[in-house]
């Protein structure tokens, strides 16, 4: 990242004799000539070193430091800090991006004359942001994005980019910073498309006014207000004429009538727009923008009236945006995709729900998530949500035990936050069971009755004992100390509870109600019941408890409804989410999809790819769509190969009949392996047997007999068998397999027969309050080391890449199949707080497969969808147009 202006001034000063850094002057005393290892003296000397780097290579810069009389120990620390800073810049402090062409050169960071960006920094510091890392990271990421825009003095341009953030992660502050830096460089018109609801538009307008307009009021003209969406203004020349030097701000809903008025007004102003660089920020860019018959054409119409226009979409759920047809006149992010780094302290999908290991990861290093998810039994769902449309009219919810626990825990958590007296002053609970407004409204009376009853019972010994049990159980399951917070005892918070109950409001926030969450008029304690108005973009301040049973069908809908994501400063130990186990599994899958998608973007950045030459793959799920069907009409099924990957089972049925089939299949494979292997590596003391070069026909027989759980799309036996057959027939690969048995040397024995007995492994299931009958998710089966169980020598210290590289050298065309006998009880260790006993009816056989990566991969399995790049035309290096499939 280029140096900021203050750093450049420091370096310039360092080059001048007698400058502030002290270069070129003689110390007046011995103590003055010996810089401390820490403090201002060290910082000055470090700035001196950075200044020298503008002229000299690092080795010469070090020599010159020594000539200045700086001690060797200090010089060494300076070198170490420089190396750390260099690594920091190269790694994650800049957001990772996929860029079209060499677009990242014109903007190098803020300058001394800037007004808008320094105003934002000043405001953020007042709001309690730290300079490092919070503001510094924001500065880095927003600079990166602005550098991908066109220079405002270019004659004409039409840029289209996408910024991928996290739900409730500060995307608004990021695009406000991008707008500020673009304004400081000469962009004039700023149009923010702020979702589809008035609440989000108003919230966005307020934020932009606070951080941009109020800091430099003379520099801004506004086309919209807090309570006023766009209405046509008279005399466009007064906004865009050469005599008006102000920046123009317009914050509008993605509403057809509003956008149509804006488009007409801009078309009337066309004579004044040629010299008007415009930046369109599309907040929640996957909502209403993609594949809509009204909004999408209107956005394109607005862009067509602006000769110099940059469109940047912001979203945490970019699935629809990445599936747009790139060859059409549309909003596919053809110029860049930026992946924002996750801010420190952010609660995201992976943090709360855990995820599954991606290929190449050590499953033991992938976290299970925090113990903050509470299970709602399936039998409770009809009590809080109508089962069918015919039941909506006249529906009355029942306060179930889990809903009562959630509400009472919310009151206790609010009281505990008052004891702490720190962090966000607001306290909110979200109840989201249905999209239907009449269902929302039906909750008001029973929730108010629950609150009033609690207020009357606050002196009742039995009631207090139940509250104490609830609080003690929850605070024990999630220790405050794990999050740097201090535990609040029940006897402390009980004194705050009456005030919490008196101040608690029950709010129906939906399109038909007059109630709205208002955080601008003092501290709020509210139980908010709602649907779509609470499910995207809008921040629920101080959200600590969520009760969620809303049925959804697509990734983006599910992710955006997770209003519990975000920052929980001062109460990171207190959030809880009540939901069904099925929903929790969907979120865990979604966390895996998110991580894999972001990894794709980051990898492509280093492989000389652009958004028009690669298509981000999105892993599919048997029960969920990636996005709405209309938004996927241009998507294609992407080919994903098993080559070079590990496949492992982590879902199992627990009934004896199903498990015995797998036990029989495993014993049959071991018998064939003993009979037909060219050699055997037997290490019973280590719980390891490896049979080399078993004919692939026996592996295929096993895969045809072994039962994979139907919920695991990556464990599709037909796809795996088809892949192996294709590799065997087309490339002569995978004709031979190494078959391994891996057990626990300390476990009770499991006998495969033919002299093969190993100890049973322990694989506890993920813990849920109400486990589904006949189902277990163990999440992790193979260790990194097991992927090299058939390799010569010890692979314990090798990385995943190291093991796969060694496999490529030693077994370039041989597959590995590993059998794991798993104890049917499998009690978890005390450290595994989110695990429960497996409790299967029979011992379980887990299977891991490791496929060699061929030189020319053409055998694929279909597990993903992606944008179709087949119709895209790109320019090759001699600038002749060619079809992208041939390029």
């Amino acid at each position: 990242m280029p140096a900021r202006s203050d750093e450049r001034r420091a370096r310039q000063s360092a080059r001048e004799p007698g400058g502030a850094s002290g270069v070129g002057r003689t110390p007046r005393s011995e103590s003055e000539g010996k810089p401390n290892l820490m403090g201002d003296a060290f910082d000055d000397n470090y700035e001196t070193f950075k200044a020298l780097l503008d002229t000299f290579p690092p080795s010469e810069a070090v020599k010159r430091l020594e000539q200045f009389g700086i001690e060797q120990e200090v010089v060494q620390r300076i070198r170490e800090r420089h190396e750390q800073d260099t690594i920091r810049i190269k790694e994650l402090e800049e957001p990772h991006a996929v860029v079209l062409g060499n677009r990242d050169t014109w903007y190098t960071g803020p300058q001394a004359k800037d007004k808008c960006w320094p105003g934002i920094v000043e405001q953020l510091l007042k709001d309690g942001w730290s300079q490092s890392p919070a503001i510094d990271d924001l500065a880095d990421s927003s600079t990166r994005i602005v550098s991908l825009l066109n220079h405002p003095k270019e004659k004409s341009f039409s840029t289209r980019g996408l910024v991928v953030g996290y739900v409730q992660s500060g995307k608004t502050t990021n695009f406000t910073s991008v707008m500020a830096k673009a304004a400081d460089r000469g962009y004039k018109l700023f149009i923010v498309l702020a979702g589809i609801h008035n609440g989000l538009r108003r919230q966005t307008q307020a934020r932009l006014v606070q951080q941009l307009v109020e800091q430099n009021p003379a520099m801004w003209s506004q086309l919209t207000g807090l309570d006023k969406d766009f209405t046509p203004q008279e005399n466009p020349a007064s906004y865009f004429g050469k005599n008006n030097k102000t920046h123009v701000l317009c914050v509008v809903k993605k509403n057809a009538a509003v956008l149509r008025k804006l488009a007409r007004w801009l078309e009337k102003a066309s004579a004044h727009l040629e010299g008007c660089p415009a930046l369109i920020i599309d907040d929640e860019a996957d909502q209403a923008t993609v594949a809509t018959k009204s909004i999408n054409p209107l956005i394109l119409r607005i862009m067509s009236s602006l000769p110099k226009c940059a469109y940047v979409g912001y979203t945490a759920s970019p699935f629809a945006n990445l599936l747009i047809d790139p060859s059409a006149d549309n909003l596919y992010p053809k110029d860049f995709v930026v992946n924002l780094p996750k801010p420190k302290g952010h609660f995201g999908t992976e943090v709360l729900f855990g995820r599954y290991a991606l290929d190449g990861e050590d499953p033991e290093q992938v976290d299970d998530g925090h113990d903050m998810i509470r299970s709602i039994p399936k039998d409770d769902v009809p009590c809080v949500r109508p089962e069918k449309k015919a039941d909506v009219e006249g529906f009355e919810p029942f306060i179930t035990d889990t809903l009562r626990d959630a509400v009472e825990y919310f009151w206790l958590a609010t009281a505990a936050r008052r004891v702490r007296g720190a962090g966000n002053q607001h306290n909110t609970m979200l109840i989201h069971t249905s999209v239907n407004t009449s269902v929302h409204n039906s909750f008001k009376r029973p929730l108010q009755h629950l609150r009033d009853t609690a207020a009357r019972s606050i002196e009742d010994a039995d009631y207090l004992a139940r509250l104490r049990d609830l609080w003690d159980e929850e605070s024990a399951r999630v220790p405050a100390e794990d999050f740097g917070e201090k535990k609040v005892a029940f006897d402390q918070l009980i004194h705050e509870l009456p005030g919490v109950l008196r101040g608690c409001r029950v709010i129906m926030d939906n399109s038909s109600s007059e109630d709205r969450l208002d955080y601008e008029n003092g501290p709020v304690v509210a139980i908010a019941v709602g649907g779509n108005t609470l499910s995207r973009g809008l921040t629920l301040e101080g959200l600590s408890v969520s009760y969620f049973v809303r049925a959804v069908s697509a990734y983006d809908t599910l992710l955006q409804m997770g209003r519990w994501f975000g920052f929980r400063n001062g109460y990171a130990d207190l959030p809880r989410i009540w939901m069904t186990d099925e929903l929790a599994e969907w979120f865990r899958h979604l966390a895996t999809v998110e991580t894999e998608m972001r990894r794709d973007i980051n990898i492509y950045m280093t492989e000389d790819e652009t958004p028009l030459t690669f298509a981000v793959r999105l892993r599919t799920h048997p029960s969920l769509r990636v996005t709405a069907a209309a938004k996927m009409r241009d998507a294609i099924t992407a080919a994903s190969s098993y080559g070079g990957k590990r496949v492992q089972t982590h879902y199992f049925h627990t009934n004896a009949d199903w498990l015995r089939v797998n036990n029989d299949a495993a014993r049959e494979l071991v018998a064939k392996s003993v009979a037909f292997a060219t050699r055997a590596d037997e290490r019973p003391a280590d719980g390891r047997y490896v049979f080399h070069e078993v004919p692939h026909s026996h592996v295929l027989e096993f895969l045809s007999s072994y039962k994979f759980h139907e919920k695991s799309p990556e464990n599709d036996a037909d796809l795996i068998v088809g892949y192996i057959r294709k590799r065997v027939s087309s490339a002569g690969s995978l004709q031979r397999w190494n078959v391994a048995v891996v057990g626990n040397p300390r476990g009770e024995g499991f006998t495969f027969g033919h002299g093969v007995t190993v100890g049973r492994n322990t694989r506890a299931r993920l813990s849920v309050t109400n486990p589904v009958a006949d189902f277990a998710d163990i999440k992790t089966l193979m260790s990194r080391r097991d992927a090299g169980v058939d390799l010569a020598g010890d692979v314990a210290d090798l990385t995943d890449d190291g093991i796969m590289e060694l496999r490529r050298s030693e077994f370039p065309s041989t597959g590995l199949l590993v059998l794991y006998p798993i104890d049917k009880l499998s009690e978890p260790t005390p450290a595994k707080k989110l695990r429960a006993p497996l409790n299967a009816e029979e011992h379980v056989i887990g299977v891991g497969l490791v496929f060699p990566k061929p030189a020319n991969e053409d055998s694929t399995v279909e597990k993903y969808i992606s944008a179709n790049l087949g119709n895209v035309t790109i320019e090759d290096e001699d600038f002749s147009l060619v079809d992208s499939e041939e390029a």
Side-chain angles (χ1 to χ4, degrees), residues 427-577:
N427 295 270
T428 309
M429 175 181 178
L430 168 66
I431 297 177
H432 192 152
T433 69
S434 168
V435 71
N436 192 282
T437 56
S438 66
V439 175
H440 305 158
N441 298 336
S442 71
F443 273 88
K444 189 159 193 170
R445 185 184 59 80
L447 287 173
Q448 287 178 336
H449 177 72
L450 183 65
R451 177 199 60 195
D452 297 342
T453 301
R456 291 193 299 270
S457 305
I458 200 69
E459 302 294 336
D460 182 79
D462 291 338
Y463 183 69
L464 287 179
R466 189 160 61 78
L467 291 182
R468 182 187 295 273
D469 289 343
L470 176 62
W471 179 252
D472 288 347
E473 178 187 354
E474 288 296 338
S475 55
R477 288 181 67 172
V478 185
E481 296 78 10
D482 290 354
F483 296 84
E485 302 292 346
K486 186 176 180 181
K487 180 179 179 179
V488 177
F490 182 80
D491 290 335
Q492 293 175 281
L493 65 81
I494 191 60
H495 301 295
E496 299 287 348
L497 199 54
V500 169
L501 292 168
R502 283 194 303 271
C504 179
R505 298 172 59 209
V506 178
I507 296 177
M508 308 295 110
D509 195 313
N510 56 46
S511 57
S512 69
S513 71
E514 296 182 2
D515 259 349
R516 282 292 183 271
L517 283 166
D518 180 6
Y519 297 109
E520 298 176 10
N521 297 302
V524 168
V525 179
I527 300 172
V529 184
N532 287 341
T533 59
L534 299 178
S535 68
R536 184 183 279 269
L538 196 68
T539 299
L540 299 179
E541 298 286 353
L543 180 65
S544 54
V545 177
S546 301
Y547 189 91
F548 183 84
V549 296
R550 165 80 181 277
V552 296
S553 60
Y555 290 178
D556 40 17
T557 308
L558 186 67
L559 184 58
Q560 289 291 349
M561 286 179 179
R563 294 292 94 194
W564 46 78
F565 302 127
F567 300 94
R568 302 292 178 257
N569 298 326
Y571 62 108
D573 57 316
L574 299 180
R576 299 291 187 273
I577 305 167

Side-chain angles (χ1 to χ4, degrees), residues 842-860:
E842 184 54 80
H843 298 311
V844 179
I845 294 292
V847 176
L849 299 111
V850 182
F851 293 90
K853 185 172 181 61
N856 296 304
E857 179 66 86
D858 63 354
S859 304
T860 56

Side-chain angles (χ1 to χ4, degrees), residues 145 183 312 320 380 404 414 459 509 634 702 781 783 823 877 884:
I145 295 164
V312 181
D380 280 13
R404 185 188 63 186
T414 301
E459 302 294 336
D509 195 313
D634 295 316
F702 167 76
L781 179 68
S783 70
D823 185 80
E877 292 185 357
S884 65

Side-chain angles (χ1 to χ4, degrees), residues 289-425:
T289 296
V290 182
T292 52
K293 293 180 179 179
S294 56
I295 305 302
N296 186 280
L298 285 169
I299 295 174
L300 292 169
R301 179 179 167 186
I302 289 170
M303 293 177 64
S304 68
S305 67
L306 298 167
K308 302 200 288 188
C309 178
Y311 167 92
V312 181
Y314 272 75
T315 181
S317 47
F319 312 113
N321 306 83
L322 294 171
L323 298 177
I324 295 172
D325 181 3
S327 66
D329 180 19
N330 220 311
L331 294 172
Y332 181 77
K334 64 182 179 62
D335 294 294
F336 61 85
V337 181
V338 170
N339 196 20
L340 293 179
K342 184 169 68 175
K344 183 179 179 181
H346 179 263
F347 277 61
T349 348
E350 182 178 348
V351 172
L352 286 168
F353 296 92
R355 65 172 173 85
Y356 300 109
L358 301 181
D359 186 67
E361 291 185 321
D362 185 347
E364 293 295 335
Q365 302 303 313
V366 179
D367 198 358
D368 285 345
H370 295 315
D371 188 13
M372 295 178 174
I373 314 302
R374 302 292 173 261
S375 182
I376 299 175
K378 282 188 176 181
D379 292 345
D380 280 13
V381 175
C383 300
V384 295
R385 187 186 75 206
E387 293 188 86
K388 50 186 182 294
K389 286 185 179 180
D391 298 333
V392 169
E393 187 175 351
F395 175 79
E396 292 189 11
F398 177 76
I399 303 295
T400 63
D401 290 345
T402 54
L403 179 54
R404 185 188 63 186
D405 285 348
V407 172
E408 291 176 346
Y409 175 77
F410 168 65
W411 292 329
L412 294 170
T414 301
R417 290 187 60 199
R418 289 189 174 183
V419 171
R420 287 180 179 167
N424 192 312
Q425 62 179 341

